[in-house]
Amino acid sequence: MSPAGAEAPKRKPPAEAVDEAKVRAPTRGNRRLEGLLDAVNADPQVRAWWYMAQVTSERLAMSDHSWVHVQIVLNVALRLLRLLVKADVQPAMVADHGMRNRDAEVVVAAGALLHDAGLSINRADHETYSLFLAERKLRELVEGVYDEPERTVVVSEALHTIIGHRRQGAPNTLEGGVVRVADALDMAQGRSRIPFEAGRMGIHSLSAAAVEEVEIAAGEERPIRLEVKLNNSAGVFQVDDLLATKIRGTPLEPHVEVIAEVEGETEKRLLTSFRLPEG
């Protein structure tokens, strides 16, 4: 029972929130990917981690990190990987292990699904905590999908994508670069405005609020073209500081072109004044 006078949480209670947290993605007949998604959607612990990740995010007035974020990262990661494969770029699962592109999809999906599991514990070093939680869980999730030694290969490569998504991460596989960049691409309108709308003014929140839309398509000169549409030129900081930082130094870098454009003849006014110190 809540203390007298205490406000009830605005979020849904755990049981209700976990029950609705189910991710979807086009599997294109990839039975192993289907098996992974079915296992995740049937696992209340994974979905409880997503719930707790969102609780942590709300406490810190961060952008959304619920299962919705996970689903977006999952779908974006698969989209990026498939564009690369279509352009004959080999993921590590093929180049290093002689497995299939569809196994690379499982690795990317596994990393996307559990990359923020550690946020259920703490924001700082959450990528490391994600590894602690994900190692055993991934083995459970793919137990009916892979036998040894392929199971250990898939789990190890998925864990590499998880630790590689941190800001100073340096993934050395294509799959790791894909998950890292997919995480950064959850920046469309309404997805990264929470700190700004909560009154946390600064270049990070201001630039995030300037992002209207992100389009992912096949490029003319490179396999992937990322077009970021902005309502204010402040969004360029978001593109350069967040997105470009996530791309640089990864195996994905030579295969991606990024275009940022401010739409309209006039820029949207995001704030009228700024004062230091605040308040």
Side-chain angles (χ1 to χ4, degrees):
M1 181 178 295
S2 301
E7 292 186 7
K10 295 180 180 179
R11 72 184 72 90
K12 294 179 179 179
E16 185 177 342
V18 168
D19 185 60
E20 72 174 17
K22 294 185 178 181
V23 295
R24 297 173 178 82
T27 59
R28 296 186 179 180
N30 185 341
R31 296 294 180 83
R32 286 175 167 174
L33 179 57
E34 290 172 2
L36 172 63
L37 295 181
D38 288 344
V40 165
N41 285 328
D43 193 307
Q45 185 177 42
V46 172
R47 293 181 288 144
W49 287 337
W50 296 341
Y51 166 80
M52 282 303 303
Q54 178 59 13
V55 171
T56 299
S57 299
E58 291 176 8
R59 288 170 179 165
L60 300 175
M62 293 166 53
S63 56
D64 175 74
H65 279 76
S66 68
W67 66 272
V68 177
H69 170 69
V70 171
Q71 176 161 278
I72 289 173
V73 175
L74 168 66
N75 279 270
V76 170
L78 289 173
R79 169 73 169 150
L80 295 175
L81 180 64
R82 287 165 178 166
L83 285 171
L84 290 163
V85 168
K86 187 176 181 180
D88 295 324
V89 181
Q90 282 194 337
M93 291 300 289
V94 176
D96 295 341
H97 307 299
M99 296 176 73
R100 303 176 63 192
N101 290 322
R102 293 194 167 198
D103 298 307
E105 291 185 357
V106 175
V107 167
V108 162
L113 290 165
L114 291 174
H115 76 285
D116 276 340
L119 196 56
S120 65
I121 300 172
N122 196 37
R123 167 61 176 170
D125 296 324
H126 74 277
E127 303 92 347
T128 302
Y129 299 135
S130 292
L131 291 184
F132 300 157
L133 299 177
E135 197 279 335
R136 181 176 178 179
K137 180 57 65 177
L138 282 174
R139 288 189 169 276
E140 295 176 7
L141 294 172
V142 300
E143 184 174 0
V145 180
Y146 289 95
D147 295 324
E148 292 293 359
E150 287 79 9
R151 184 190 309 165
T152 291
V153 171
V154 169
V155 170
S156 297
E157 293 288 12
L159 293 174
H160 179 71
T161 73
I162 290 173
I163 196 63
H165 93 276
R166 60 186 173 180
R167 185 170 180 84
Q168 300 300 325
N172 51 40
T173 66
L174 193 72
E175 293 90 327
V178 163
V179 172
R180 179 177 172 84
V181 173
D183 182 43
L185 285 174
D186 184 12
M187 59 167 65
Q189 185 180 32
R191 295 293 307 156
S192 53
R193 293 180 59 90
I194 293 175
F196 178 76
E197 292 175 347
R200 296 196 174 191
M201 299 302 176
I203 187 59
H204 291 280
S205 60
L206 189 65
S207 63
V211 178
E212 289 286 335
E213 186 180 357
V214 179
E215 292 185 356
I216 304 169
E220 295 180 2
E221 299 180 1
R222 299 188 178 191
I224 298 172
R225 175 186 172 94
L226 303 177
E227 186 170 338
V228 185
K229 298 181 179 179
L230 310 172
N231 61 44
N232 186 284
S233 54
V236 172
F237 178 85
Q238 187 81 357
V239 174
D240 186 56
D241 184 68
L242 176 62
L243 180 56
T245 298
K246 292 276 188 168
I247 295 173
R248 293 187 187 110
T250 74
L252 202 64
E253 184 175 7
H255 306 299
V256 179
E257 56 181 330
V258 180
I259 307 296
E261 297 180 343
V262 179
E263 293 190 313
E265 295 181 1
T266 59
E267 296 190 3
K268 179 179 180 180
R269 175 180 291 184
L270 295 176
L271 75 167
T272 56
S273 64
F274 182 79
R275 177 179 298 182
L276 288 175
E278 296 181 27

